[in-house]
Amino acid sequence: MSATTATAPSISLAAAAGGGNLLFRQLFDAATGTFTYLLADVPSRQGVLIDPVFEQHSRDLSLIHELGIELVASIDTHAHADHVTGSWLMQEATGCAIGLAAVARAENVTQPLHHGDRVSFGQRYLEVRSTPGHTDGCISFVLDNHSMAFTGDALLVRGCGRCDFQQGNAHTLWASITEQIFSLPDSCLLYPGHDYTGRTVSSVVEEKAFNARLGGGATERDFVGHMENMKLPHPHKIAEALPGNMRSGKPREAQARPAWAPVQRSYAGLPELAPAWVSAHQQELTILDVRGPEELEGPDGHISGSLNIPLPELDQRHQEIPTGKPVVVVCHSGSRSALATQQLLKAGLSQVANLRGGLSRWNAEGYPLTGATAL
């Protein structure tokens, strides 16, 4: 399935990747202790997303857009019991494939995965390794050069996934970890699906030596004895998560869309609008310019009809903003207006957004500024 390409990137992906040819980002959902991973091949800008969380869709999509990544697949290590995947939302937004173990038999999966398959992105790929035991459909993703592996809930940092429900089996999990994960090079970095105490990464050599359940001199008998006597409560979101993940995260009912504008949230979490839309709907909006009066009348100019309330005065004067119209906040670059947007949201305004890139981008894209001589 083809994927849509994000807006033309304004930064070097190679620089964002630290000078290498692979970009890697580890993201976190504090509510469920879930890690989401973004990988991208720098030359092609193609990427994959591993274990996205439904509630973090806006954050993840913003990062993909800001970095100019063409997402080819959103893939899950298993059908989670503690959160709903964001894969369906990501497919709706980007056209990417939805990948999950074929044995899970979930709806809306467009790339059913089997042991030995490859999930390709540009010149790179992730090898699919079947690692059941936590669930029948658990898979781990191993980077092509065996430098990184994403183990989902099969192997955690100094722990592993539980085996007491969802087709769990301690003997099966022992075999999965020892044969499919511990067979990787000792130097292979291991990235888990969850952690609740701040442990973000481990390695094969560490887990072989120090994993409390199956490291050091532990035998399969030791491991099974440990796992079968844990007596853990079921995840509190299981009734919502499992049905949701069997639909690949597709909501039962259509999601409400913001009615007033095509607002996009930046990776920083800020609601933003592009100059093109603002220009086309200018008469329906209040354009709030938060620069000082001298800047408003200076060589940078201003958008005709703007309301001027300087940022230092906004807390005391925000009641002057007319009601009944959405507000688009502007400044020279979008920096001061970003802070103003946050202040207005805290003050209770709901239909408010920052002009992406400020007046500088507005001018660069050819939209008029009253009194401008240069920007």
Side-chain angles (χ1 to χ4, degrees):
M1 177 179 247
S2 63
T4 57
T5 305
T7 304
S10 59
I11 66 169
S12 163
L13 194 61
N21 63 7
L22 179 75
L23 178 131
F24 170 67
R25 293 289 185 270
Q26 183 181 48
L27 307 167
F28 186 63
D29 177 60
T32 62
T34 302
F35 290 118
T36 297
Y37 301 97
L38 176 67
L39 294 90
D41 172 58
V42 167
S44 68
R45 303 190 87 97
Q46 290 189 345
V48 295
L49 192 67
I50 302 172
D51 287 340
V53 175
F54 187 95
E55 290 81 3
Q56 297 290 354
H57 170 70
S58 177
R59 175 201 67 183
D60 298 347
L61 184 62
S62 296
L63 179 60
I64 289 164
H65 282 168
E66 288 184 6
L67 294 177
I69 292 171
E70 176 191 356
L71 194 71
V72 298
S74 180
I75 55 181
D76 282 279
T77 53
H78 62 297
H80 310 276
D82 52 5
H83 72 274
V84 176
T85 177
S87 284
W88 186 86
L89 292 177
M90 198 58 69
Q91 183 192 53
E92 284 290 287
T94 69
C96 70
I98 294 176
L100 184 71
V103 70
R105 298 180 181 177
E107 300 173 6
N108 304 308
V109 173
T110 62
Q111 190 172 354
L113 300 173
H114 303 83
H115 182 78
D117 285 352
R118 292 182 176 183
V119 179
S120 297
F121 54 107
Q123 299 303 308
R124 309 302 298 267
Y125 67 86
L126 292 169
E127 174 195 346
V128 177
R129 294 197 177 192
S130 179
T131 50
H134 173 59
T135 75
D136 279 352
C138 280
I139 51 180
S140 295
F141 299 107
V142 181
L143 191 62
D144 43 31
N145 62 5
H146 289 187
S147 64
M148 309 168 75
F150 303 90
T151 57
D153 285 13
L155 183 65
L156 306 175
V157 178
R158 304 301 193 267
C160 64
R162 59 195 295 174
C163 302
D164 58 336
F165 71 101
Q166 248 189 314
Q167 317 97 37
N169 184 285
H171 294 281
T172 303
L173 185 57
W174 169 272
S176 293
I177 294 172
T178 57
E179 296 172 13
Q180 299 300 330
I181 299 175
F182 284 178
S183 61
L184 292 166
D186 281 354
S187 59
C188 180
L189 297 178
L190 302 177
Y191 292 91
H194 296 278
D195 196 86
Y196 308 99
T197 61
R199 298 169 298 191
T200 59
V201 62
S202 186
S203 63
V204 170
V205 69
E206 289 175 72
E207 297 308 314
K208 281 181 178 178
F210 305 122
N211 191 290
R213 301 179 186 179
L214 73 167
T219 64
E220 182 175 354
R221 183 176 67 251
D222 297 324
F223 177 72
V224 172
H226 181 122
M227 298 305 295
E228 290 184 348
N229 288 279
M230 293 181 68
K231 296 181 174 62
L232 297 172
H234 277 197
H236 71 277
K237 293 185 69 174
I238 187 170
E240 170 192 353
L242 286 180
N245 287 321
M246 293 308 292
R247 301 188 302 271
S248 298
K250 181 178 181 179
R252 290 189 184 277
E253 299 177 0
Q255 297 293 289
R257 305 273 183 187
W260 72 276
V263 173
Q264 290 188 348
R265 288 193 176 271
S266 69
Y267 187 47
L270 189 73
E272 295 183 328
L273 285 168
W277 189 91
V278 174
S279 175
H281 297 82
Q282 190 171 339
Q283 299 307 311
E284 306 159 23
L285 306 168
T286 294
I287 307 297
L288 175 64
D289 194 319
V290 296
R291 297 174 299 161
E294 69 285 353
E295 291 180 88
L296 196 77
E297 301 302 329
D300 289 350
H302 60 272
I303 297 175
S304 177
S306 298
L307 169 66
N308 181 222
I309 303 179
L311 178 60
E313 303 172 18
L314 186 59
D315 276 344
Q316 289 73 38
R317 296 179 56 192
H318 70 265
Q319 295 88 354
E320 299 176 23
I321 300 172
T323 59
K325 282 187 177 183
V327 179
V328 176
V329 193
V330 305
C331 69
H332 176 262
S333 68
S335 174
R336 284 172 286 175
S337 56
L339 179 58
T341 299
Q342 292 172 333
Q343 290 180 359
L344 293 176
L345 288 169
K346 289 179 180 178
L349 278 74
S350 58
Q351 294 185 340
V352 58
N354 192 36
L355 178 67
R356 185 181 305 132
L359 296 179
S360 178
R361 179 169 174 173
W362 176 276
N363 180 69
E365 294 186 7
Y367 299 107
L369 287 168
T370 300
T373 56
L375 261 182

